[in-house]
Amino acid sequence: MARDPSVSDGESSPSPDGEASDDGGKDGLLHRRSYMKLAGATTAAATLTGAAAAAGDEYETIEARGQTIRIGRGETFENKLIDLTTGEGFLLYVEGANATIRNVGFEGLYRGDSFMISIKAGVGDILVENVYLGDGATKEGSSFVHGPGGVFMHPENDADVTFRHCNVQGFPNNGFYCSNTPYGGSVRFERCFGKNNGVTTFRCGSADDEIVDCVAYNDDTDYGPGYGGYGETSGRPVWVWNGGTVTIRDSHFAAGPYPYALVAGANGSPGSVDFQSGGVRGEIQRASGSTVDVASAVSSDPDLSVPDGVPTTPEEAATGDSDGSSGPTAGSASETDSDGLPNLLLVDGSPADATRYEFTVDGDVERSTAEGASIDDEDRIDGSTVQGSVADWKDAFRFAGDLTELTVDGPGSVLVNSEAVDPDDYGSDLPHVLEVSGDGTATSYEITVDGTIELVADDEPAAEATTVSGSTVQSSITDGTQTFRFSGAVTDVTFSDGAATITVDGEPIDPSEYGDHEMLPHALVIDGTDADGPTTYAFEVDGAVVRSDYRDASIDDEDVVENGTVRGAVGNWLDAYWFDGDIDDFRLRGDAAVDLQYNARDQ
């Protein structure tokens, strides 16, 4: 089905309670459990003081539990370590001018659904100083178009904000989203560092805005085709639009997979830049009506080291003990080698589609959070063999010995000790053997795996018609055995008539333990045909769920369906799913219509 892929760059704005909201959009919840989960999010009051703490002072650790900490006029929030390893959301919301955020480190991969710091204050000054946001975030489960971001400045903000000694890395959305205030406050960046942020790192536009002694670059954010053709999270180091001329001095930027190091203007709104000194590598894009003046003092060989005074760990930020040394940054391992497990295998996913992987080593193996990877208990470790899947996130494992087998299905890539590896160099592409043995009764069956399956061509009976399509085989058998090789795991076995014995790698399986997709009773349809623009959605069920062509819906392999969780998007078309059980969680971002029909097959 032909699709209209155009998606505007309009961003979601985080509300004070940490939940995303879009102007004109909807955030619907179809199940009470989800509603209660959101309604139960607490808004905690911070312990605020009016005086700065000295460098090296002790800090307080705050566990992220979905709370919002509000910072009012004249208040200071300082010497805090925010523990994001809980997997919950967290928001610092600045609602008063003459406020200060100082010496704050965010530890762990962020899994929430908002920006981390949000500013909406009246006339005055705000200082954000010595803040570490370098462990990054995952887009998994986010209702934002691009995922969560670092810092957001509301359009209604009238305060002049200075960011000094801030480290923001690995956010799929903007690092600093500060282009919304062309008529009110301003933003100034002093000795700040950003790396591998999606959309952009430094985003501004006011005539009073400045970027001074800062560094930003991307080196590993090519997540495949997406907005603009470069990947929705491939970012520009600098993006200036929606206001006056922004001044850049003594700053250094380099492009990555997205070819532009600096972009001026967007969506019909021009931008203007006076780039006085520093360095830049990569193209400079000027949208219609935009200007970028690059002085002769700007070199083509930027210095991409971390500026002096920028914290490189959460603890360094929380204590205020930043010495500017170029310590570990996001993109380097977040942990030391485990005893006896010197090697690191990283599976880097893509939002273009899910990637299933399986590998075997000849030593011990364990999960890891290195390189900002997630920990997913549903990834299976059986001895020295690992099976798992990724989408727009990373999985990592530390292991001993050598990698002996590797199978990858999907657009993701695998790195071992920071070097890309070719799965073809490691064992069989289809490591498992599935056999269907007839018992003398005519039998028709369908088998689905979550990887790839192929008929072993020389098998008899050759006269029997067997259809193989990607991850599904449909065939019939009376006597003899049909043999297939596959990757991943068996997910569905359906007999339309008769029965047969099925073995996987020589071990018999019970077909009743595998879902019967044809019999799932309930239907969920997301209809974007009359919507104004694209709609993204995510939902969870406590039973089985599969893609469907119900009501002539399209089947889109880019929609992610895993373990009862679905994430997808519609434009001017329909997506549909069969499922059983209850819907535990449903989130919608956009104007698509939603039709939920229980026992749809009986209607």
Side-chain angles (χ1 to χ4, degrees), residues 399-424:
F399 68 95
D402 295 322
L403 178 66
T404 59
E405 299 278 345
L406 175 63
T407 301
V408 178
D409 290 307
S413 58
V414 175
L415 297 89
V416 174
N417 297 330
S418 301
E419 296 291 334
V421 297
D422 185 349
D424 291 341

Side-chain angles (χ1 to χ4, degrees), residues 188-543:
R188 174 183 170 90
F189 302 99
E190 297 178 359
R191 294 184 296 283
C192 291
F193 178 75
K195 178 181 175 183
N196 292 335
N197 294 302
V199 186
T200 188
T201 290
F202 300 110
R203 181 165 173 170
C204 52
S206 169
D208 295 323
D209 292 356
E210 294 182 295
I211 303 175
V212 180
D213 293 326
C214 293
V215 173
Y217 68 98
N218 291 348
D219 62 7
D220 66 353
T221 54
D222 188 3
Y223 291 109
Y227 306 125
Y230 295 101
E232 63 182 291
T233 51
S234 293
R236 319 140 180 85
V238 180
W239 194 4
V240 172
W241 62 300
N242 205 29
T245 299
V246 172
T247 300
I248 300 176
R249 298 196 308 273
D250 301 323
S251 296
H252 299 265
F253 315 111
Y258 190 96
Y260 301 108
L262 192 158
V263 176
N267 299 339
S269 179
S272 180
V273 178
D274 181 11
F275 199 167
Q276 298 178 357
S277 57
V280 62
R281 183 173 67 240
E283 299 178 41
I284 295 176
Q285 184 183 43
R286 300 167 176 84
S288 177
S290 300
T291 61
V292 179
D293 295 325
V294 181
S296 59
V298 178
S299 76
S300 59
D301 185 20
D303 178 4
L304 301 180
S305 58
V306 179
D308 289 345
V310 174
T312 56
T313 67
E315 294 79 6
E316 188 178 282
T319 60
D321 192 18
S322 302
D323 59 6
S325 62
S326 297
T329 59
S332 65
S334 62
E335 57 181 44
T336 59
D337 293 351
S338 299
D339 291 341
L341 301 178
N343 302 311
L344 177 67
L345 184 146
L346 180 73
V347 186
D348 193 352
S350 166
D353 199 357
T355 297
R356 286 87 175 177
Y357 61 87
E358 179 176 337
F359 68 89
T360 301
V361 299
D362 58 8
D364 294 332
V365 61
E366 65 180 28
R367 299 176 180 88
S368 169
T369 58
E371 304 286 348
S374 61
I375 293 290
D376 187 353
D377 290 337
E378 294 181 355
D379 297 335
R380 293 184 293 173
I381 299 180
D382 183 6
S384 296
T385 297
V386 178
Q387 291 181 335
S389 61
V390 294
D392 53 346
W393 62 88
K394 300 176 182 179
D395 284 354
F397 302 87
R398 289 204 174 276
F399 68 95
D402 295 322
L403 178 66
T404 59
E405 299 278 345
L406 175 63
T407 301
V408 178
D409 290 307
S413 58
V414 175
L415 297 89
V416 174
N417 297 330
S418 301
E419 296 291 334
V421 297
D422 185 349
D424 291 341
D425 296 336
Y426 296 88
S428 172
D429 289 340
L430 304 174
H432 303 298
V433 177
L434 183 147
E435 293 182 330
V436 182
S437 300
D439 61 3
T441 304
T443 300
S444 297
Y445 64 87
E446 178 179 291
I447 298 174
T448 300
V449 301
D450 63 2
T452 300
I453 187 168
E454 294 180 357
L455 175 69
V456 177
D458 294 337
D459 266 27
E460 297 293 343
E464 294 286 352
T466 300
T467 300
V468 179
S469 177
S471 60
T472 300
V473 294
Q474 296 174 327
S475 189
S476 59
I477 191 172
T478 300
D479 297 306
T481 299
Q482 292 177 340
T483 302
F484 304 87
R485 298 197 70 92
F486 71 96
S487 61
V490 177
T491 60
D492 178 78
V493 177
T494 300
F495 291 111
S496 56
D497 53 70
T501 299
I502 298 178
T503 63
V504 173
D505 295 333
E507 296 293 330
I509 66 172
D510 182 355
S512 66
E513 296 179 356
Y514 298 83
D516 183 351
H517 289 179
E518 294 299 321
M519 300 305 294
L520 297 180
H522 313 313
L524 177 64
V525 179
I526 298 93
D527 185 353
T529 55
D530 294 326
D532 295 329
T535 295
T536 59
Y537 60 87
F539 66 90
E540 298 179 10
V541 301
D542 60 7

Side-chain angles (χ1 to χ4, degrees), residues 1-4 527-530 533 570-574:
M1 177 179 292
R3 298 187 172 187
D4 297 332
D527 185 353
T529 55
D530 294 326
V570 294
N572 57 344
W573 64 88
L574 283 74

